[in-house]
Amino acid sequence: APDDQAIHDRLESWYRDHEQWAELAELMTRDAERLPDDAAVDRLREAASTYSNVLGQPLKAAEVLRKARQRAPHVTELVTDHAAALAAAGELDAAQRAVGDALATVEGAGRTSLLLLRASFRQQLGDDASAVEDLTDAYELDREGVADALVFGLERLRGRAERDSDLPTERTATLRLAQLLTQHGEVERGRGFLVAWIERDSRDAEPLYLLCDLDESIGHWDGVAAAATRLAYITEGEAQVQAALRAAAAATQVGRPAEAVPVLEVVYQAQPGVEELRDKLREVYEAAG
């Protein structure tokens, strides 16, 4: 008589009183088959909690939660609980796949938490590049709330790439990290990453441009002059001219215009037909006496 409520309740009380937890969890799982969706989900979550917290069987909990997700696929918390149970059982790859399945349909605020969860699983699996992709997507949804997690993820990716001698990945992570830190007010820390990379590859123009822009924004004109001078030596054409002019402007800002004479002379020798460059060199000669 499976529908006799009195017998059911006495049996459930017996299991609880005698701490027959496995039998109790199985009873709750069977109950869900005869209940409407909302009530069934509550019963299945209770059974999963018993398997996980009392019996120490996270894999059984995951199986029960999978059934709950089938009854309420729109509930983000069930995805989180299911993935956490799989992870507790050591099934990290299955956990991140479960979250990925849910991400195919979940939108809004719940999406951010799922992206962060999958990123953590991917980090544990050693897939820092994919983790950063998830963190970047989450950052676009909640910049203030996810910024710290993205910084941490980028630092992990940069460190792994450095250990693996993967220069392209290390470069990308370093520049993104510097920009992100600067955007969130950690200017000196972001600048440190740029300078460290430039010291390793002094012919890489992009970080030099980033450093110029950063130093201009904080009025660090010595830094602007140094980075722009370096740019003038490694670029060509109009970019070289603009770099030399930028270096001259920075040297003038700090009251030492003569320091720009060498870079202006080098660029003028390479491009003697540029009138603006010739005028600036004349101006700097006069300012320097």
Side-chain angles (χ1 to χ4, degrees), residues 232-254:
Y233 291 145
I234 65 172
T235 54
E236 298 177 348
E238 180 63 19
Q240 184 183 42
V241 172
Q242 292 305 315
L245 295 174
R246 196 173 192 179
T252 301
Q253 283 282 350
V254 294

Side-chain angles (χ1 to χ4, degrees), residues 31-179:
D31 288 346
E33 297 172 1
R34 298 190 298 275
L35 293 171
D37 287 342
D38 288 347
V41 167
D42 289 341
R43 201 66 169 151
L44 288 169
R45 293 185 80 170
E46 189 177 359
S49 177
T50 302
Y51 278 125
S52 180
N53 299 329
V54 181
L55 294 170
Q57 298 177 9
L59 206 55
K60 287 284 289 184
E63 175 59 27
V64 171
L65 288 166
R66 184 185 62 79
K67 294 179 181 179
R69 284 184 60 191
Q70 292 172 344
R71 301 291 291 269
H74 58 285
V75 179
T76 304
E77 291 79 5
L78 286 175
V79 180
T80 303
D81 292 347
H82 181 212
L86 287 168
E91 300 290 336
L92 287 171
D93 193 50
Q96 67 100 8
R97 288 200 307 272
V99 177
D101 292 342
L103 282 169
T105 57
V106 172
E107 298 294 338
R111 186 172 183 82
T112 304
S113 62
L114 290 180
L115 285 165
L116 290 172
L117 181 61
R118 186 169 69 173
S120 71
F121 293 147
R122 287 176 161 178
Q123 285 173 342
Q124 292 176 67
L125 288 166
D127 188 0
D128 289 303
S130 295
V132 165
E133 291 178 6
D134 282 344
L135 292 168
T136 300
D137 290 344
Y139 177 73
E140 293 303 318
L141 296 172
D142 181 6
R143 296 198 168 213
E144 290 302 320
V146 180
D148 288 343
L150 180 54
V151 166
F152 176 72
L154 285 166
E155 286 183 315
R156 280 181 57 100
L157 179 60
R158 190 199 66 79
R160 180 179 292 276
E162 184 178 10
R163 291 191 300 271
D164 295 343
S165 298
D166 181 356
L167 288 178
T169 299
E170 182 186 354
R171 176 187 183 276
T172 300
T174 300
L175 300 191
R176 181 73 182 96
L177 187 56
Q179 291 174 305

